Amino acid sequence: MKYLKQMGIISCIAFLGEIMKAILPLPVPANIYGILLMLGALLSGVLKVDQVRETSNFLIEIMPILFVPVSVGLMDSWEILKGSWIQYFVIAMVSTMVVMVVSGKVTQFVIQRKKGDREDA
Amino acid sequence: MREFLTESVLFGAVLSMVTYGIGCWIKKKIPHPMVNPLLISIALCILCIILLKSDYETYYSGAQYIGYLLTPSTICLAVPLYEKFELLKKNYVALLCGITAGAVGSMAVVFALSMLFGLEHTEYVTLLPKSITTAIGMGVSEELGGYPAITAAAIMVTGITGNMIAETACKIFRITDPIAKGIGIGTASHAVGTSKAMELGEVEGAMSSLSIVVAGVITVIFAPMFAPMI
């Protein structure tokens, strides 16, 4: 019963996200509204973490497999892709590596500098 | 027999889960960070569909039920985000700097490589939003006049790449801070990368979740400025 109730709450928030997407004229997908709604509900205390914890842990844990169905769809994009797939592939791979390192390094740099400042003071 | 197999509604769902299970089993036997259950599962699914002379549509008619959980599952990323909210508030400057550098950097790299490969405007704008979550990325691509379906494919390749290289890249480039790891993984490879960040730790996962949202927003703002450059 507990899981059903938790799943119900999460589904309600997902549905509210869908409604917001339908109403608001912004290029924001429903799941982003959903994250913000859920975060807002938790921060404001409307929703307690205990009311969703187990189910949300479960859903997060199984997340990788949820990407399998859509990703297998790559086999259908092949027709359009095959002309310049090497370029696309190289761009996708290289930029991913660069972004990961740049983003991580910049974050780490700022955090460490801030720590340094505090130690100096 | 073959028809029964492929026409059962559960075929796609079972195939996805079994191949993912095989991926996890291989990962357990060969615990190398590049051995990736997600990639193994996708490859095995495609292989099975081709060998059974089935097609994606038939597979997806069953597998889509697994996909339905994706939205609720993404929304649940707010839970770790909430639990690490203090950490987030304390480091917000660093987080914003890191995500902005990554999101703008992503578009700059796409621009540079597109120039190098001599891609046309349409192909270039198709790839611009490749680091962000599919739903936002396809919208951006459409608005700029790209091919949303190919954007979706590029986003998947990005996610799988990020998921695979995350541990190795952080080690080689000495990104040791869990906050920085999470931001790097999430900004580079959205939710697919985040599922890896979740495995690395709670802080990594929360920061990666945050990056999906913020990087998406920053890309929506900056992509129209990058678009006219080719």
Side-chain angles (χ1 to χ4, degrees), chain A residues 28-43:
Chain A
V28 176
N31 54 8
I32 299 288
Y33 283 126
I35 293 183
L36 296 176
L37 280 172
M38 175 80 108
L39 187 63
L42 289 169
L43 286 173

Side-chain angles (χ1 to χ4, degrees), chain A residues 66-116:
Chain A
L66 305 181
F67 291 108
V68 173
V70 191
S71 304
V72 175
L74 274 176
M75 65 185 283
D76 267 10
S77 316
W78 182 247
E79 277 305 307
I80 342 174
L81 273 175
K82 65 180 171 194
S84 40
W85 73 275
I86 299 179
Q87 285 95 317
Y88 283 8
F89 204 70
V90 170
I91 292 178
M93 301 258 284
V94 171
S95 62
T96 307
M97 287 181 215
V98 174
V99 174
M100 194 177 286
V101 173
V102 166
S103 208
K105 274 288 180 193
V106 169
T107 312
Q108 186 158 293
F109 175 76
V110 179
I111 291 174
Q112 279 171 355
R113 213 185 54 171
K114 216 173 113 194
K115 266 188 200 149

Side-chain angles (χ1 to χ4, degrees), chain B residues 85-136:
Chain B
F85 203 71
E86 280 307 309
L87 199 61
L88 195 157
K89 267 202 315 208
K90 215 174 78 192
N91 294 294
Y92 77 97
V93 180
L95 307 181
L96 282 180
C97 290
I99 301 173
T100 310
V104 175
S106 167
M107 291 186 272
V109 174
V110 172
F111 166 72
L113 290 174
S114 297
M115 282 289 268
L116 185 71
F117 291 140
L119 295 191
E120 285 162 21
H121 176 76
T122 321
E123 297 177 299
Y124 163 62
V125 293
T126 296
L127 291 174
L128 260 189
K130 57 153 280 288
S131 287
I132 58 175
T133 185
T134 315
I136 308 186

Side-chain angles (χ1 to χ4, degrees), chain B residues 136-197:
Chain B
I136 308 186
M138 286 177 81
V140 171
S141 166
E142 194 165 14
E143 206 153 303
L144 299 176
Y147 306 112
I150 299 187
T151 304
I155 290 174
M156 275 173 234
V157 173
T158 300
I160 299 164
T161 309
N163 191 306
M164 272 179 68
I165 65 165
E167 283 176 273
T168 316
C170 289
K171 206 184 271 168
I172 293 177
F173 291 94
R174 297 212 180 87
I175 301 170
T176 47
D177 190 299
I179 299 176
K181 276 190 201 172
I183 296 291
I185 297 170
T187 309
S189 51
H190 53 93
V192 185
T194 300
S195 61
K196 175 54 120 196

Side-chain angles (χ1 to χ4, degrees), chain B residues 60-81:
Chain B
Y60 191 72
S61 68
Q64 60 177 324
Y65 298 108
I66 296 184
Y68 278 149
L69 284 173
L70 198 53
T71 306
S73 164
T74 317
I75 290 170
C76 291
L77 292 175
V79 175
L81 206 51

